[in-house]
């Protein structure tokens, strides 16, 4: 369980996150939604310590990021996007590294097969399409087998088949007790997989439980000021 | 840490920078080869000229002394001395002429020339030890520094004793064409070559640390559930080891190229040096090469630690290159013997970055012995990595709302 209390962050005088407090329970998927440049990625970076937030703000299963950084990071996986993969290394090089670094026992071949990556697991990242790289990135999340998965716009560049495949995997991870915080602009997908949705607006989080409402309409209401249709 | 080392090593090894570094190392090592590619092996000819200069000087001295019809006892003794030297150098020239005359034949016997030079060298040693060194006209050895002291004479005697014992032709390390083993030894002894190799190494190391910034791939490293210092150590070790292996590959390639073109040479050829202020000793160029590699390796890790620290503090490749370059320039004798630096030179890592003056005891600046030099390099690596550790311990500035 991730517990965040009074998280603030600013670039200089420009406040990005203002006094955020929330909890992400185990076995849940939370959607993170906001227009571009609002602070979704900044929030994800703060949650894993890439941007400073100060002590006693975040605990993951009771472990404070600033007091036990290694133990905290060992319970989460976050890689912003597939452009941050090492271009000269293969998919399997990345998976082996993650497996060792996170002391995971997840079987690589099973993961590769489950994501349909057998054809390009031994190819270098530089030779892959965006969709393939997104698959490789998701495979790293699965191999790390971390409790908390912070996933930033995972559906970019995916065809509808792959989107469904990713959604199925997210659901499987949730069923296995993992905690997923998934930022996305694909409102229909957010509606399909999320238990709760965080709308990030005016440096604050507006949390809504997913009760089957029209998420695109919610987005329009919150960010575009549109009236909900009866 | 091992898995991060393996990943870093693999990544850096596959980057195009490593190929460029390999080619740059090759180019540096082959400058002399290409520069003299159309020249013949004229080392022996140059040495013959040195013997001739000595003989001419002795002729002049003798002619001058003979003009005095009523020489003093001292002048008479001096004339006898010069005449004796002249007789010996004549024998040397005769033997050298004979050897050159048979050059190109299947087998030439080096012993007659070595024997006559050894006789002259022993005489010069005896005279120098007796305090009559100023009466000598010493001959210069191509490719070796000139040293008129007793120690220098001892080194010359030992060189020719060893050559005679091993029935070897003398090799001149500044000769245009050398067999592969000797060519590489000459390059390792060259201050210019070593400084250029170190410069290429610094570029490789700096690029190793800048790669993540350039390719925007820092995030994965920063999120790893491991200590930042152990990750840094893995990167330092990977970049340093890869740099050394790249250089080793370049040296191997140069060896094959020169060997194919000019012959392989022998790794048991002797080098003479002075391990203490009164004694001379020999080391084979194979042993010298191994010691050189060890010393260079330690120097490389100091440079790796420096680049790590500078990169950590500045996150600027330019600053890393500038400081690494300054450290290399500080390995120059002119800097190390400058007034303020001189007393401290033996404690500076720069004093040991060029292995040859340390190993062959030919430095003009103050030094510890080889083990002391290794300790200095290791000590500096530890200190620099310690500073990296301290830097990583300092908390990042917390940006909260204004």
């Amino acid at each position: 369980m991730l517990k965040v209390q009074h998280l603030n962050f600013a670039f200089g005088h420009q406040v990005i996150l203002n006094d955020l407090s929330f909890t992400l329970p185990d076995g849940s998927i939370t959607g993170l939604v906001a227009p571009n440049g609002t602070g979704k990625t900044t929030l994800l970076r703060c949650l894993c310590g890439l941007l400073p937030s100060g002590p006693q703000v975040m605990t993951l299963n009771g472990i404070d990021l600033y007091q036990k950084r290694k133990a905290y990071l060992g319970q989460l996986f976050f890689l912003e996007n597939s452009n941050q993969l090492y271009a000269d290394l293969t998919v399997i090089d990345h998976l082996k590294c993650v497996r060792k670094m996170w002391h995971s026992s997840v079987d690589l071949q099973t993961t590769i097969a489950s994501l349909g990556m057998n054809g390009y697991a031994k190819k270098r990242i530089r030779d892959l399409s965006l969709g393939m790289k997104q698959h490789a990135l998701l495979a790293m999340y699965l191999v790390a087998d971390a409790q908390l998965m912070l996933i930033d716009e995972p559906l970019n560049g995916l065809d509808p088949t792959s989107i469904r495949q990713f959604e199925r995997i997210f659901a499987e991870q949730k069923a296995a007790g993992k905690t997923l915080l998934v930022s996305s602009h694909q409102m229909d997908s957010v509606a399909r997989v999320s238990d709760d949705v965080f709308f990030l607006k005016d440096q604050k989080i507006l949390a809504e439980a997913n009760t089957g409402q029209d998420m695109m309409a919610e987005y329009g209401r919150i960010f575009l000021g549109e009236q909900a249709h009866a | 840490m091992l898995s991060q080392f393996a990943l870093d090593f693999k990544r850096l090894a596959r980057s195009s920078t490593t190929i460029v570094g390999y080619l740059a190392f090759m180019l540096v090592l082959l400058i002399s080869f290409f520069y003299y590619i159309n020249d013949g092996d004229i080392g022996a000819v140059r040495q013959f000229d040195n013997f001739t200069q000595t003989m001419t000087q002795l002729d002049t001295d003798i002619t001058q002394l003979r003009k005095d019809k009523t020489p003093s006892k001292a002048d008479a003794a001096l004339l006898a001395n010069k005449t004796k030297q002249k007789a010996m150098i004549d024998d040397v020239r005769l033997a050298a002429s004979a050897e050159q005359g048979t050059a190109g034949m299947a087998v030439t016997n080096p012993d007659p020339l070595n024997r006559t030079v050894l006789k002259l060298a022993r005489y010069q040693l005896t005279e120098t030890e007796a305090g009559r060194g100023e009466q000598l006209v010493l001959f210069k050895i191509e490719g070796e520094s000139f040293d008129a002291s007793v120690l220098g004479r001892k080194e010359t005697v030992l060189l020719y004793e060893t050559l005679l014992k091993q029935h070897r032709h003398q090799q001149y390390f500044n000769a245009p064409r050398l067999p592969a083993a000797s060519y590489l030894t000459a390059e390792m002894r060259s201050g210019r070559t070593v400084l250029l190799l170190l410069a290429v190494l610094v570029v490789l190391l700096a690029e190793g640390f800048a790669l993540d910034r350039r390719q925007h791939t820092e995030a994965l490293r920063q999120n790893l559930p491991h200590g930042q210092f152990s990750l840094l150590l893995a990167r330092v070790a990977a970049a340093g080891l890869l740099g050394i292996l790249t250089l080793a590959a370049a040296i191997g390639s140069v060896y094959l190229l020169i060997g194919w073109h000019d012959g392989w040479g022998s790794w048991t050829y002797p080098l003479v040096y002075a391990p203490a202020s009164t004694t001379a000793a020999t080391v084979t160029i194979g042993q010298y090469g191994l010691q050189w590699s060890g010393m260079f390796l330690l120097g490389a890790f100091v440079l790796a630690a420096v680049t790590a620290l500078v990169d950590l503090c500045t996150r600027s490749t330019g600053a890393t290159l500038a400081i690494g370059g300054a450290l290399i320039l500080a390995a120059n004798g002119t800097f190390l013997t400058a007034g303020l630096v001189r007393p401290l030179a033996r404690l500076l890592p720069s004093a040991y970055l060029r292995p040859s003056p340390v190993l062959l005891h030919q430095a003009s600046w103050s030094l510890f012995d080889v083990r002391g030099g290794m300790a200095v390099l290791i000590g500096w690596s530890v200190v620099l990595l310690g500073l990296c550790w301290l830097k990583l311990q300092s908390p990042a500035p917390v940006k909260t709302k204004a």
Side-chain angles (χ1 to χ4, degrees), chain B residues 168-186:
Chain B
R168 285 184 191 278
H169 287 281
Q170 186 171 2
Q171 292 195 352
Y172 307 101
F173 286 95
N174 62 345
R177 306 230 70 85
L178 285 168
S182 300
Y183 179 89
L184 284 174
T185 304

Side-chain angles (χ1 to χ4, degrees), chain B residues 36 40 56 61 68 171 215 309 324 346 355:
Chain B
Y36 296 114
T56 306
D61 292 351
D68 188 354
Q171 292 195 352
Q215 297 185 345
L309 180 62
R346 60 168 54 190

Side-chain angles (χ1 to χ4, degrees), chain B residues 121-382:
Chain B
R122 280 178 173 159
Y123 177 74
Q124 291 178 338
L125 172 60
T126 308
E127 290 297 294
T128 307
E129 282 178 328
R132 294 187 292 271
E134 74 280 359
Q135 297 181 2
L136 299 173
V137 181
L138 300 172
F139 59 91
K140 183 177 176 298
I141 300 175
E142 281 295 307
E144 304 296 337
S145 56
F146 184 77
D147 183 357
S149 69
V150 172
L151 186 58
R153 295 302 92 214
K154 283 182 179 175
E155 287 181 335
T156 305
V157 167
L158 182 59
L159 172 64
Y160 287 101
E161 278 178 351
T162 312
L163 290 175
L164 185 62
K165 196 173 166 184
Q166 299 180 355
H167 310 291
R168 285 184 191 278
H169 287 281
Q170 186 171 2
Q171 292 195 352
Y172 307 101
F173 286 95
N174 62 345
R177 306 230 70 85
L178 285 168
S182 300
Y183 179 89
L184 284 174
T185 304
E187 291 302 308
M188 286 185 228
R189 292 176 70 182
S190 158
R192 179 202 64 194
T193 301
V194 173
L195 292 184
L196 286 172
L197 292 176
L198 288 170
V200 174
L201 187 65
V202 164
V203 173
L204 280 179
L205 292 169
E207 175 61 13
F209 287 101
L211 195 60
D212 273 336
R213 269 201 306 282
R214 202 158 46 76
Q215 297 185 345
H216 309 289
T217 48
E218 285 179 300
L220 183 57
R221 285 176 64 82
Q222 291 167 337
N223 278 343
L224 293 174
H226 293 269
Q228 291 295 306
F229 184 64
S230 65
L231 297 176
L232 181 79
L233 274 185
R235 175 59 61 89
V236 169
L241 187 63
L242 184 64
I244 289 295
L245 289 178
T246 307
L247 174 59
I251 288 174
S253 304
V254 168
Y255 179 72
L256 292 175
L257 180 66
I258 305 285
W260 169 73
H261 196 266
D262 291 326
W264 303 105
S266 166
W267 290 106
T268 55
Y269 185 85
L271 285 179
V272 175
Y273 69 106
S277 58
T278 56
T279 56
T282 59
V283 61
T284 67
I285 59 176
Q287 291 168 329
Y288 169 77
L290 287 175
Q291 291 170 2
W292 187 95
S293 303
M295 206 78 191
F296 194 90
L297 182 72
L298 292 177
F301 275 100
V302 171
L303 289 174
V306 167
T307 50
L309 180 62
V310 177
D311 189 80
L312 202 59
C313 292
T314 67
R315 296 178 62 76
S316 158
T317 308
T320 308
L321 289 174
I323 291 180
L327 194 62
I328 291 170
L329 289 177
N332 194 300
T334 310
F335 172 80
L336 292 166
T337 53
L340 288 172
V341 181
R342 192 179 187 90
L344 299 170
R346 60 168 54 190
L347 298 172
L348 298 177
S350 299
Y352 306 93
L353 284 182
R354 287 163 52 194
S356 196
V358 184
L359 296 171
L360 299 181
H361 302 264
Q362 292 171 341
S364 56
W365 56 93
S366 68
L367 284 172
F368 291 115
D369 62 7
V370 177
R371 286 181 184 170
M374 291 166 75
V376 169
L377 291 175
I378 292 169
W380 271 98
S381 300
V382 171

Side-chain angles (χ1 to χ4, degrees), chain A residues 1-3 58-64 72 75-76 148:
Chain A
M1 181 175 70
L2 175 71
K3 193 172 182 182
M58 291 170 299
T59 55
L60 183 52
N61 292 329
I63 295 170
D64 187 288
Y72 181 98
Q75 297 184 87
L76 71 82
L148 175 63

Side-chain angles (χ1 to χ4, degrees), chain A:
Chain A
M1 181 175 70
L2 175 71
K3 193 172 182 182
V4 177
Q5 291 177 301
H6 309 298
L7 170 62
N8 294 296
F9 184 79
F11 285 116
H13 292 291
Q14 187 187 357
V15 178
I16 308 295
L17 305 173
N18 186 3
D19 198 26
L20 305 189
S21 297
F22 56 87
T23 299
L24 299 181
D26 293 348
S28 68
I29 300 177
T30 305
L32 180 60
V33 175
N36 291 328
T38 311
K40 296 189 300 293
T41 304
T42 300
L43 173 59
L44 297 178
R45 286 177 181 173
C46 284
L47 293 181
C48 61
L50 281 178
L51 291 173
S53 58
Q56 297 176 334
V57 172
M58 291 170 299
T59 55
L60 183 52
N61 292 329
I63 295 170
D64 187 288
L65 167 64
Y66 279 77
Q67 286 175 352
K68 291 185 176 178
R69 182 176 176 278
K70 280 194 281 185
Y72 181 98
L73 291 178
Q75 297 184 87
L76 71 82
F77 191 89
F78 172 59
L79 190 59
E80 204 170 303
N81 60 58
S82 55
N83 289 330
Q84 295 179 336
L85 300 176
Y86 298 135
D88 291 314
L89 296 185
T90 65
V91 175
I92 210 152
D93 287 333
H94 284 80
L95 299 184
K96 281 180 181 172
C97 174
V98 167
R99 191 172 187 271
K100 282 182 185 167
M101 290 290 183
W102 268 263
H103 306 296
S104 161
S105 56
V106 171
D107 182 62
L108 298 188
Q109 291 308 323
T110 306
T111 307
I112 289 168
S114 72
L115 283 164
M117 293 169 32
N118 285 318
Y120 56 88
K122 290 181 181 172
K123 281 190 177 178
R124 293 187 189 199
I125 296 295
R126 66 164 78 245
D127 298 325
L128 303 185
S129 69
L130 175 59
M132 289 172 175
K133 283 192 264 190
Q134 294 287 59
H135 277 76
L137 183 53
L138 182 61
M140 289 169 72
Y141 277 87
L142 299 181
V143 168
D145 198 25
Q147 171 59 39
L148 175 63
M149 299 180 179
L150 305 173
I151 311 177
D152 197 9
E153 301 186 22
L155 308 180
N156 287 356
L158 295 184
D159 58 52
T161 309
S162 296
I163 288 174
R164 288 301 170 104
Q165 182 188 31
F166 273 42
E167 289 174 359
R168 176 180 53 77
I169 288 170
F170 292 162
E172 287 170 2
Q173 293 299 306
K174 174 188 160 186
K178 306 290 185 190
T179 308
L180 287 79
L181 179 60
V182 185
S183 89
S184 180
H185 294 298
Q186 310 266 348
M187 297 311 299
D188 51 343
S189 176
V190 170
R192 282 194 293 271
V193 300
S194 302
D195 300 303
D196 297 286
V197 181
F198 286 175
F199 293 96
L200 188 60
K201 186 185 182 192
D202 298 334
Q203 302 96 43
K204 299 275 190 186
I205 281 179
L206 305 174
E208 282 192 20
N210 184 359
T211 55
Q213 67 270 50
D214 181 348
M215 285 297 171
M216 194 62 220
E218 283 299 290
Y219 183 94
R221 182 180 64 77
I222 293 171
F223 294 107
L224 306 175
E226 295 171 350
Q227 297 299 315
H229 295 290

